[in-house]
């Protein structure tokens, strides 16, 4: 008899139940690993699977995480370049693909990443046909559309991380300006995750007090307090961080875990994430953009009707047109 046999008697006759809250992260670059650690530290899953084409990097990352098992409450952490390791995932987070270089627009990455998705998405679908896809790779709005088309999933199970991070950045900067915690600073950035995102100034408030009622010029060029710069800093912030440290990772990783939490814990929380907006806010084309959406364990179940001012609506339509121009050229 082995030491294990002397120590432990197995009493259960049936097959074990297996995992109930499995999360897969595809891509173990900076964003993938920041997402993985954020999900682990929030105790969101009972199994975490990592997939990538770079075998040594993948093996090293998973070993490094497993060595911290004592400090985590996720019993099973696995990795393989073969997608069978992802089987029966509840949520699959896609972070794989080329990332922005210094000064490069997110839209510039598009065809490179579409080609990568043609391999990734069918493999995910094969092993987790009932999962919720959370797309993070850039340009996220276009790639969420691509994932939706390639997967054949209903729209409520394909979600782009969208402007969840832009809105968090906005609320952080708003908090800095007002010396308040970001959770008490309410404001929504919608539209494209990127250069044409739209700040909804009319909804910016603290404790239900609309800031535009105190400063009617807020968000315009006439505003002496330059609140418009807050949104400019949101748009510039990824470029700035990339210039300084080479990539962005921590905030997007935490943003991903925030979304995964709302899904797995069925929170019915409202997040600005990328979804099909055709027919809303004057958008005519089949594009994905961020608007406030309700997330729960079925995925993205509802959208909130934002009250947009005419100029804000114009910006959303312009955002959609920018994306459609790129999208209609794609070969899927």
């Amino acid at each position: 008899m082995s030491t294990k046999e002397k120590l432990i008697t197995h009493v259960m006759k049936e097959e074990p139940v297996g995992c109930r809250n499995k999360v897969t992260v595809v891509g173990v670059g900076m964003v993938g690993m920041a997402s993985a650690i954020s999900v682990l530290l929030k105790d969101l899953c009972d199994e975490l699977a990592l997939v990538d084409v770079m075998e040594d990097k993948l093996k090293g990352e998973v070993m490094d995480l497993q060595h911290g098992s004592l400090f985590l409450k996720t019993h099973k952490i696995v990795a393989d370049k073969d997608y069978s390791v992802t089987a029966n995932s509840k949520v699959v987070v896609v972070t794989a693909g080329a990332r922005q270089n210094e000064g490069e627009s997110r839209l510039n990455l598009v065809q490179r990443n579409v080609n990568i998705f043609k391999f990734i998405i069918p493999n995910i679908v094969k092993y987790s046909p009932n999962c919720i896809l959370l797309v993070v790779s850039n340009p996220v709005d276009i790639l969420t559309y691509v994932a939706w088309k390639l997967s054949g999933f209903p729209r409520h199970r394909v979600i782009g991380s969208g402007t969840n991070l832009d809105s968090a950045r906005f609320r952080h900067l708003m908090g800095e300006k007002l010396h308040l915690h970001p959770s008490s600073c309410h404001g929504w950035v919608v539209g494209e995750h990127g250069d044409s995102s739209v700040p909804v100034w009319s909804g910016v408030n603290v404790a239900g007090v609309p800031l535009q009622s105190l400063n009617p010029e807020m968000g315009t060029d006439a505003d002496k307090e330059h609140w418009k710069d807050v949104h400019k800093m949101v748009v510039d912030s990824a470029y700035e961080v990339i210039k300084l440290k080479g990539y962005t990772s921590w905030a997007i990783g935490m943003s991903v875990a925030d979304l995964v939490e709302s899904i797995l814990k069925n929170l019915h929380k409202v997040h600005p994430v990328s979804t099909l907006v055709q027919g809303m806010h004057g958008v005519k084309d089949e594009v994905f953009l961020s608007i406030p959406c309700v997330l729960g364990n079925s995925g993205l179940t509802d959208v909130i009707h934002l009250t947009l001012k005419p100029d804000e609506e114009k910006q959303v339509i312009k955002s959609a047109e920018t994306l459609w121009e790129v999208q209609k050229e794609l070969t899927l």
Side-chain angles (χ1 to χ4, degrees):
M1 276 174 88
S2 68
T3 306
K4 183 183 171 187
E5 286 167 329
K6 288 177 188 169
L7 178 70
I8 300 167
T9 301
H10 190 59
V11 295
M12 182 176 159
K13 300 277 191 287
E14 296 81 19
E15 278 293 299
V17 171
C19 59
R20 293 175 191 275
N21 274 327
K22 178 169 174 174
V23 173
T24 288
V25 176
V26 181
V28 294
M30 295 303 184
V31 172
M33 291 315 298
S35 301
I37 198 71
S38 300
V39 165
L40 287 171
L41 291 172
K42 282 169 78 80
D43 298 337
L44 298 179
C45 58
D46 54 9
E47 180 175 341
L48 176 71
L50 304 177
V51 191
D52 203 305
V53 286
M54 298 188 292
E55 286 185 78
D56 285 353
K57 165 93 165 129
L58 183 64
K59 199 172 173 184
E61 289 291 6
V62 76
M63 281 174 71
D64 206 357
L65 288 179
Q66 287 166 341
H67 295 161
S69 290
L70 173 61
F71 316 115
L72 298 170
K73 292 185 177 63
T74 303
H75 179 58
K76 202 173 172 196
I77 303 172
V78 292
D80 206 299
K81 77 173 202 300
D82 190 299
Y83 277 77
S84 57
V85 79
T86 70
N88 303 317
S89 295
K90 277 271 170 57
V91 179
V92 177
V93 180
V94 185
T95 71
R99 66 171 186 229
Q100 284 163 277
N101 294 317
E102 191 178 321
E104 184 178 23
S105 153
R106 291 176 181 90
L107 291 175
N108 214 34
L109 304 167
V110 70
Q111 196 59 57
R112 272 183 289 172
N113 286 349
V114 167
N115 295 338
I116 294 170
F117 269 45
K118 284 180 186 171
F119 171 74
I120 292 172
I121 303 298
N123 273 303
I124 293 169
V125 173
K126 179 178 167 186
Y127 291 103
S128 301
N130 301 312
C131 75
I132 292 160
L133 275 173
L134 179 55
V135 179
V136 186
S137 317
N138 275 318
V140 71
D141 303 293
I142 292 176
L143 291 178
T144 307
Y145 164 83
V146 168
W148 174 55
K149 284 293 189 200
L150 293 174
S151 67
F153 282 6
R155 60 194 268 186
H156 69 271
R157 288 203 282 125
V158 185
I159 304 165
S161 57
T163 56
N164 199 52
L165 176 57
D166 309 59
S167 298
R169 284 171 169 153
F170 184 91
R171 293 171 69 178
H172 156 70
L173 293 165
M174 183 179 162
E176 294 274 277
K177 219 164 152 72
L178 299 170
H179 297 286
L180 295 171
H181 191 272
S183 68
S184 296
C185 298
H186 301 280
W188 292 76
V189 177
V190 298
E192 185 209 352
H193 169 57
D195 306 344
S196 73
S197 68
V198 182
V200 186
W201 292 107
S202 49
V204 173
N205 77 86
V206 173
V209 180
L211 268 52
Q212 256 188 355
S213 70
L214 311 175
N215 174 3
E217 309 283 279
M218 179 175 274
T220 68
D221 292 328
D223 174 23
K224 291 183 176 57
E225 294 174 16
H226 307 296
W227 280 87
K228 203 174 176 181
D229 291 351
V230 170
H231 178 250
K232 189 183 183 308
M233 285 158 81
V234 170
V235 171
D236 294 343
S237 56
Y239 298 110
E240 179 74 357
V241 175
I242 290 167
K243 196 174 94 182
L244 293 167
K245 66 173 248 191
Y247 54 90
T248 74
S249 59
W250 301 122
I252 184 61
M254 289 185 265
S255 167
V256 165
D258 179 50
L259 298 172
V260 172
E261 177 176 45
S262 289
I263 294 165
L264 290 181
K265 295 196 180 296
N266 197 26
L267 293 184
H268 289 243
K269 241 178 95 173
V270 182
H271 294 267
V273 287
S274 197
T275 190
L276 183 63
V277 292
Q278 194 173 27
M280 300 176 213
H281 300 297
V283 176
K284 295 181 185 66
D285 297 308
E286 206 175 41
V287 292
F288 278 62
L289 283 178
S290 288
I291 51 174
C293 299
V294 181
L295 299 186
N297 59 10
S298 308
L300 191 158
T301 52
D302 308 86
V303 299
I304 305 295
H305 298 293
L306 260 186
T307 318
L308 295 178
K309 300 249 170 94
D311 61 313
E312 291 166 342
E313 195 131 290
K314 258 204 217 78
Q315 286 174 271
V316 169
I317 294 168
K318 200 172 174 314
S319 224
E321 285 167 356
T322 306
L323 293 177
W324 183 246
E325 282 307 303
V326 178
Q327 217 168 276
K328 67 181 200 308
E329 304 299 326
L330 296 178
T331 44
L332 290 184

